[in-house]
Structure formats: C-alpha cells, structure tokens
Amino acid sequence: TGLLAYGSNAAPSQLLRKFPDAEGRAIPVTAVVVPDVDVVFSAHLTSYGSLPATIHRTPGARAHLAITWLTDEERSIMHRSEGGNYRLEEVPGLPSVFAYVSDHGAIPLGGEVRGLSAVTVADAGRARLAQPEAVAAAARDYFPDHDARGLSERAIADREWRRAATRMLAARAVPAVLSDGRAVPPADLV
C-alpha cells in the first residue's frame, strides 16, 4: 500500500523527522505523475507557523508527486502525525495508493485557491505561491492585525489561537476533494 507524498511529506528531511528509526534504511519512493490533481494550500495553520498543503482534484492538471511505500508501523506513525487535519482517500486510477486530503479544505488566497510553487503541476490553471508568499497572503486576507512573520509567530506560540484561526479559515475554504470523498479508515491500510 502506498501513500501519495506531497508538501513536506515528500521531503527526505521530513521523513527522517517522522521516522527517526529509519535512518540507515531506505524508505522506498516512486515518482508518479497524477492526472487531474493539484497541490494547494490547506485552510489551517501548523504548529510550526506555515500553511500546509492539501491535494485537490483539478481536471486537466498533471501533478508530479511521489508515492512512499511505508511499513505498517510507519503508516501508523504517519497517520498519527496527520490525524485531526487530514482524512485518507484512495487516489483514483492508482490502485492501492492513498492520499491525505485536508479536512479543513483549500484556502483562497487573494480571492482564489493557489497552488504550491514548490510542486511541479502542469496545466493546473491557477497561480502558484511559495510558502512565505502564502503566509503573507493569509495575513493580508484573514489576519489584518498580523504581518506574515507575526502570523507565523502567533501560530507557533499560541495553540488555542491557532485552533481558532484554523476554524475561521476552514469556514472560508473551498472543500478539498480528491475522489468521491469517502474517507478510508487507517486500519484498512494495514
């Protein structure tokens, strides 16, 4: 069973942070082009002060992503790290491959859902932003009392404020959709 990797979960440094016991052991990763998918900003703030990614169905787009092939134990660890913000959905057209999709939705920035510039996606038909630009846009659009740095610092320092801010962002979000929206219980992947 594979997990589609995008955003920070596609970075080797993030995999090593999540799976420190894997050091010295390779985690198999396969490059893949996923049709009708884009990687956009999720409508929540992280404990490290950024806007994380979510996958989103986008007809005609072709996203260059990766599939991580994790052990049962690693999938369990990954699910605990994503729980509360993401649900698992099966990736259409990729048998036995699943992806985390934001429960909070995709956040419009500057009036539109924006893609992550760090992810190569062809024919998505939307503007792309780097993480610092996205945080700055979120500050302008939703948190006028904060600049980008202040927004990140507040999200890091104040867990309850971050949760309230996430609820506010989610209320303004576009639902993040990959397939038919049916969540897959993590136990079904083991």
Side-chain angles (χ1 to χ4, degrees):
T1 303
L3 287 175
L4 201 59
Y6 61 89
S8 68
N9 285 338
S13 60
Q14 178 74 335
L15 292 175
L16 281 174
R17 187 187 68 73
K18 286 188 179 190
F19 311 118
D21 293 339
E23 192 159 340
R25 183 185 68 73
I27 293 175
V29 177
T30 305
V32 64
V33 177
V34 184
D36 301 323
V37 160
D38 194 2
V39 179
V40 301
F41 291 95
S42 177
H44 72 283
L45 294 166
T46 66
S47 60
Y48 48 90
S50 72
L51 286 172
T54 188
I55 195 164
H56 188 59
R57 183 171 48 215
T58 304
R62 294 182 319 281
H64 296 254
L65 304 174
I67 300 171
T68 54
W69 302 96
L70 304 176
T71 66
D72 291 348
E73 181 182 348
E74 289 164 344
R75 278 194 302 274
S76 178
I77 292 167
M78 179 69 79
H79 191 69
R80 282 193 306 273
S81 78
E82 303 300 332
N85 291 310
Y86 294 89
R87 66 187 178 278
L88 277 172
E89 290 189 25
E90 192 164 14
V91 179
L94 293 176
S96 299
V97 176
F98 299 84
Y100 286 102
V101 180
S102 175
D103 284 333
H104 307 292
I107 190 66
L109 298 168
E112 298 177 27
V113 171
R114 308 292 180 161
L116 276 72
S117 63
V119 179
T120 301
V121 180
D123 301 322
R126 65 173 44 101
R128 307 196 82 69
L129 298 175
Q131 182 61 233
E133 296 169 317
V135 172
R140 274 192 312 275
D141 293 352
Y142 303 105
F143 305 97
D145 294 340
H146 295 82
D147 62 10
R149 182 177 178 158
L151 176 59
S152 290
E153 289 173 351
R154 182 95 187 255
I156 292 167
D158 189 338
R159 181 178 176 185
E160 290 309 312
W161 181 88
R162 184 176 66 246
R163 287 181 173 173
T166 291
R167 286 190 298 274
M168 183 272 293
L169 291 173
R172 291 160 173 79
V174 174
V177 177
L178 178 58
S179 57
D180 60 11
R182 286 182 295 149
V184 178
D188 290 352
L189 299 181
V190 178

